[in-house]
Amino acid sequence: MAGGMAGAIAQTAIYPMDLVKTRLQTHSCESGSVPSLRKLSKDIFIQEGPRAFYRGLVPSLLGIIPYAGIDLAAYETLKDLSKVYILHDSEAGPLVQLGCGTISGALGATCVYPLQVIRTRMQADSAYKGMADVFRKTVQREGFRGFYKGLFPNLLKVVPAASITYLVYESMKKSLDLD
């Protein structure tokens, strides 16, 4: 719960910058110039209002808790299984930790990815009326496969991060005698 709440608070605090980043990434302009961070932020505020900076926050928050739960539960389960079936009750080394982190990170990210797609589409296109509208239009236009567009590049980012996080986590636990 504590990790989920910390993630939710952090996400809420930085969310306006995430929205502006997404708009900058998806902005197209005939003149070839991209608006400055300041100009784009001002335009969003004036044209869409201050609430626009939080478009897509709900699916983002809905994804944080299950991702963290799935990722951590899978990691701990895989680590325990590796001790029984592979390591025969010895401690997991760095390669096993990286492998468990790879699988758990991929599993968690894949499970919550549809919420990420909904969030990103809400951030990028102010024409959507909410989560249900994004869901309905995605299913109509692309089918359920549309919720997994971009999953592979996302996994290329998330999986190494999760693996390294768990490796550092285990190393710090060991060095601080917290096992």
Side-chain angles (χ1 to χ4, degrees):
M1 267 312 263
M5 288 303 297
I9 291 167
Q11 183 69 12
T12 302
I14 60 107
Y15 199 80
M17 288 310 305
D18 192 39
L19 180 122
V20 172
K21 174 201 71 148
T22 299
R23 294 276 180 100
L24 283 169
Q25 289 173 331
T26 60
H27 183 79
S28 63
C29 186
E30 285 79 40
S31 67
S33 66
V34 175
S36 69
L37 177 67
R38 182 181 170 141
K39 178 169 179 4
L40 181 61
S41 299
K42 183 179 173 185
D43 289 348
I44 292 169
F45 186 84
I46 291 169
Q47 293 170 11
E48 301 173 48
R51 288 184 62 191
F53 288 101
Y54 289 93
R55 285 183 55 80
L57 179 63
V58 171
S60 183
L61 293 177
L62 289 175
I64 288 173
I65 294 171
Y67 171 77
I70 292 166
D71 184 29
L72 185 59
Y75 176 77
E76 290 296 335
T77 300
L78 290 168
K79 192 172 78 168
D80 290 345
L81 288 173
S82 72
K83 286 180 185 177
V84 173
Y85 294 106
I86 299 170
L87 305 171
H88 307 293
D89 291 328
S90 61
E91 287 300 309
L95 288 178
V96 171
Q97 293 166 2
L98 283 170
C100 294
T102 295
I103 295 167
S104 68
L107 182 63
T110 301
C111 289
V112 301
Y113 194 71
L115 289 167
Q116 257 191 315
V117 170
I118 290 171
R119 178 203 72 199
T120 304
R121 289 180 180 192
M122 288 177 72
Q123 287 179 330
D125 189 348
S126 61
Y128 288 114
K129 294 174 182 66
M131 281 179 58
D133 189 38
V134 176
F135 183 84
R136 184 176 42 76
K137 288 178 179 172
T138 301
V139 171
Q140 285 174 346
R141 295 174 185 160
E142 306 165 57
F144 286 101
R145 292 181 69 182
F147 291 108
Y148 290 93
K149 277 188 171 178
L151 176 62
F152 184 69
N154 186 63
L155 291 175
L156 291 177
K157 174 185 84 168
V158 170
V159 168
S163 300
I164 293 166
T165 298
Y166 283 119
L167 182 64
V168 171
Y169 170 74
E170 294 291 349
S171 296
M172 294 302 295
K173 273 184 17 182
K174 190 173 184 177
S175 67
L176 296 171
D177 289 326
L178 297 175
D179 273 336

